Amino acid sequence: GGLEDAATWFTLFAIASSLIGLVTSVLANRLVPAALNSEHPSRVMASLALLQVGGVTLFALSGSLAPALVGKWTRDAAQAVSWPVARAWLNRNIESSASRATTLSMMGQADAVGQIAGGPGLGMVASRAGVQTALLLAAAIQAPAVFLYARLRPGRSAVNTIRG
């Protein structure tokens, strides 16, 4: 249980990650509340997705602990801010409560399916080509979200955004 134990260090890193996410959320809500609470925060979501991709990329490419932690904590902090913004955005733009509940449930299910489907595949890539390659692939898989969020505009459906 001392500081020479790896489990202790991973626990400390996880606690730090939670605290950084909390502080980031509080600061974001105080510094840019209008952007976070706008009816269509697509630019905020694009920026947060870019930070997540950048954090994973930094983590993958870092050769030492300090930059790896910066990458991980950047990704975690961006995710801590983006989840509530995305949920609020959906809640504001889905008209009926039945549709809202179904959509939020499907988002959770899609997240779980993505983890179940993507996790083993990325694990296989990690075992064959290395963890760094798998992490870079994970960042590349998430990168299109940045583009899609950036292209979303009020009154424009996601299908029309994809078609261009």
Side-chain angles (χ1 to χ4, degrees), residues 42-109:
S42 54
R43 289 190 178 157
V44 169
M45 291 301 295
S47 299
L48 292 168
L50 182 61
L51 282 171
Q52 289 180 51
V53 170
V56 172
T57 302
L58 177 60
F59 184 83
L61 297 177
S62 65
S64 61
L65 182 61
L69 288 175
V70 169
K72 181 187 178 345
W73 291 337
T74 298
R75 181 239 176 228
D76 291 353
Q79 190 175 47
V81 174
S82 69
W83 283 58
V85 172
R87 301 282 183 293
W89 188 10
L90 279 172
N91 282 328
R92 279 192 298 272
N93 289 289
I94 298 173
E95 294 177 18
S96 75
S97 62
S99 296
R100 188 176 307 114
T102 302
T103 302
L104 292 174
S105 175
M106 293 219 25
M107 279 185 60
Q109 291 176 14

Side-chain angles (χ1 to χ4, degrees), residues 134-154:
L135 287 168
L136 290 172
L137 179 58
I141 289 168
Q142 190 176 6
V146 176
F147 172 76
L148 291 174
Y149 279 130
R151 294 204 18 111
L152 280 176
R153 297 289 178 260

Side-chain angles (χ1 to χ4, degrees), residues 148 151-152 155-164:
L148 291 174
R151 294 204 18 111
L152 280 176
R156 187 173 183 188
S157 75
V159 173
N160 290 335
T161 297
I162 294 170
R163 288 184 187 154

